[in-house]
Amino acid sequence: MSQKFAEVLHRLHTTIHERKGADPSTSYTAKLLAEGAERAAKKFGEEAIELVIAAAGGDPKAAVTES
């Protein structure tokens, strides 16, 4: 794994971890996690597909947005 990719994954993990304890009425991430693992996994899968499409299209800005 490249260093840059590892750094991006680390930042994403940190952001999710920080938002996990937030108020679900103000944090979409906290809301998804509060709805349970199945709901969070479904949304994660949807976003992963959109990320792959953005990356395949060669649009770095769209890939960042989907991440």
Side-chain angles (χ1 to χ4, degrees):
M1 176 179 341
S2 76
Q3 181 65 27
K4 185 165 181 115
F5 183 65
E7 289 170 8
V8 169
L9 287 179
H10 177 72
R11 284 196 334 251
L12 183 58
H13 174 267
T14 300
T15 300
I16 291 169
H17 185 71
E18 288 171 353
R19 293 180 184 174
K20 180 180 180 180
D23 181 353
S25 70
T26 60
S27 169
Y28 185 64
T29 301
K31 179 180 180 232
L32 279 176
L33 294 171
E35 291 175 358
E38 186 175 329
R39 172 70 173 116
K42 180 179 177 184
K43 188 62 178 172
F44 183 81
E46 292 169 3
E47 295 303 324
I49 290 168
E50 292 171 4
L51 172 58
V52 168
I53 292 168
D59 185 347
K61 187 175 180 180
V64 169
T65 300
E66 294 303 335
S67 295

